[in-house]
Amino acid sequence: MKITAVETWWTRIPFDMGGKPAVMGGLNWQTMNSVWLRIVTDQGLEGWGEAFGHAAAATTMTALNSQLAPAILGQDARDIAGLRSRLGRAFHGFGRNGPHVFALSALDIALWDLAGKAAGMPLWRLLGGTPVASMPSYASLLRYGEASLVATACERAIQLGYRDIKLHEITVPEVAAARAAIGPEAKLMVDTNCPWTVWQAIDIAHQMEDSDLTWFEEPVWPPGDHEGLAQVRLEGGLPIAAGENAAGLHDFRAAFEAGALDVAQPSVIKIGGPSAMIEIVALAKAFGVRVVPHNAYFGAGFLASLHCNAALAPDAPFERLFIDLEASPYHDLVVAKNGRVTVPDGPGLGCDPDMRVMRRYQVAEPGIHRA
């Protein structure tokens, strides 16, 4: 099954988060930037993948178009492990994280989508999962930066059927407002996106103890400071989660060996796709670390993350950004209903994107590469 064509798409879809967005990752988020990869084969099958986009969409698109696409034309789409190994070696000089790894993640997702379609099975079954119609989801709120807005958003999420909430706030009053809004039974998590030194993080962790956090996510800068995370875990008194920005399997191993994590959160569109997820989950189990996959996107990576979650971490809730998209190429498949998301049972990822929606929200003409 030879790869005969590769297409790259960049879509930008407006969304509503229920309040004015605060600065997060250097941007005021108001649109969802998604980078898509479409692989066409000589057997008529097509596979879809997603690479990390958001504010990095332009650089990720460059890596896909200038280096990944030419390298995979004519290759055997069934050789997932071989392509992963050869391309990893070929691109290693560009770094072990960033656009090239994002591009390889999209490729891996697309190849697994193709494998499922060729076998007539959903990805979760290829990964060894058991049938499940839906999974519980937790609402992952963007940063509001104002206690009243946080409380309103939390109340709305609970009303919509979510049982658990994750914040992206970095100040104590906002976290306390969320706990007051959702009550004592719901689980509350906080992802801070690496703002503090170790000592600052320990101090903030103590201040947030009264909010009864299920985990304290990415509290330390730089994100690769595993010894620092271990110290916050030991002295801050809160369970520690991280892994969205890990630079591959070796980074997770270092974190596990340092005793830095209670919860590992690999991101399928950043870490190398389902193939990397399989390895990370196996390693986490060996170290007794819980895996709760990270998901902050709505393209093919959303479905890939959902399949991986269902098959590899079936007891973990699925993360869904608490935003209302203006439209989606997957329509209701990316919508949580009564706090649950549907697990597709069609071949591969279970659904191809609606090309009418893709064209309506494309940023530019897609990149097209043919053998």
Side-chain angles (χ1 to χ4, degrees):
M1 186 161 58
K2 300 297 183 182
I3 297 173
T4 58
V6 177
E7 294 180 11
T8 58
W9 293 73
W10 175 2
T11 59
R12 180 182 292 146
I13 300 177
F15 65 77
D16 179 16
M17 61 179 281
K20 182 180 178 181
V23 173
M24 197 174 158
L27 294 174
N28 287 325
W29 272 23
Q30 298 180 61
T31 57
M32 180 59 56
N33 284 275
S34 300
V35 174
W36 306 70
L37 180 69
R38 183 188 201 177
I39 293 177
V40 182
T41 71
D42 59 0
Q43 294 186 12
L45 292 177
E46 299 180 358
W48 284 89
E50 181 182 2
F52 185 72
H54 299 328
T59 52
T60 302
M61 284 286 288
T62 298
L64 284 169
N65 285 315
S66 65
Q67 293 181 299
L68 183 102
I72 64 175
L73 286 171
Q75 298 293 314
D76 187 348
R78 296 167 299 185
D79 187 17
I80 298 176
L83 269 173
R84 181 175 180 239
S85 175
R86 292 193 298 275
L87 292 172
R89 290 170 183 264
F91 293 159
H92 83 279
F94 302 107
R96 301 182 73 176
N97 204 348
H100 288 85
V101 179
F102 303 161
L104 291 172
S105 301
L107 172 63
D108 196 73
I109 293 169
L111 294 179
W112 278 99
D113 185 29
L114 277 167
K117 289 171 177 173
M121 295 192 297
L123 177 54
W124 58 260
R125 189 174 291 280
L126 288 185
L127 297 175
T130 56
V132 57
S134 65
M135 292 193 68
S137 177
Y138 67 87
S140 186
L141 280 59
L142 295 182
R143 185 172 298 161
Y144 294 86
E146 186 176 322
S148 61
L149 292 177
V150 171
T152 298
C154 287
E155 290 168 355
R156 178 170 170 257
I158 296 297
Q159 290 170 0
L160 288 174
Y162 289 99
R163 297 178 59 187
D164 304 321
I165 304 291
K166 184 164 85 173
L167 308 177
H168 286 82
E169 304 297 331
I170 55 174
T171 46
V172 175
E174 281 65 40
V175 176
R179 172 52 74 192
I182 64 178
E185 300 300 322
K187 294 179 181 177
L188 181 64
M189 294 77 76
V190 176
D191 180 356
T192 61
N193 297 113
C194 306
W196 302 306
T197 66
V198 170
W199 300 111
Q200 288 172 328
I202 291 171
D203 179 57
I204 295 293
H206 285 307
Q207 294 182 50
M208 291 185 180
E209 280 183 306
D210 290 343
S211 293
D212 188 24
L213 300 185
T214 298
W215 70 64
F216 194 36
E217 187 174 337
E218 293 192 334
V220 173
W221 177 263
D225 182 5
H226 305 313
E227 297 297 334
L229 273 181
Q231 194 167 0
V232 175
R233 181 173 181 248
L234 179 65
E235 299 185 29
L238 295 176
I240 297 297
E244 174 198 350
N245 296 307
L249 184 67
H250 67 285
D251 205 7
F252 277 98
R253 177 180 288 279
F256 297 160
E257 290 176 343
L261 299 181
D262 298 280
V263 181
Q265 296 188 294
S267 181
V268 74
I269 67 172
K270 278 186 166 184
I271 205 67
S275 295
M277 294 287 281
I278 294 169
E279 296 174 341
I280 292 164
V281 169
L283 187 65
K285 287 181 178 178
F287 279 89
V289 176
R290 187 185 183 204
V291 174
V292 183
H294 181 270
N295 178 68
Y297 26 85
F298 288 91
F302 181 100
L303 297 187
S305 185
L306 183 53
H307 283 277
C308 289
N309 211 141
L312 304 175
D315 297 327
F318 181 76
E319 179 178 14
R320 187 193 184 278
L321 286 184
F322 190 60
I323 61 175
D324 295 320
L325 290 168
E326 184 175 285
S328 168
Y330 291 129
H331 302 292
D332 286 349
L333 268 182
V334 298
V335 176
K337 298 177 182 178
N338 197 30
R340 300 185 70 88
V341 287
T342 300
V343 180
D345 60 1
L349 294 178
C351 182
D352 286 342
D354 184 336
M355 298 309 297
R356 295 171 299 177
V357 179
M358 294 284 287
R359 293 187 184 96
R360 189 187 319 156
Y361 292 99
Q362 67 184 29
V363 175
E365 288 299 313
I368 299 176
H369 309 262
R370 300 191 186 280

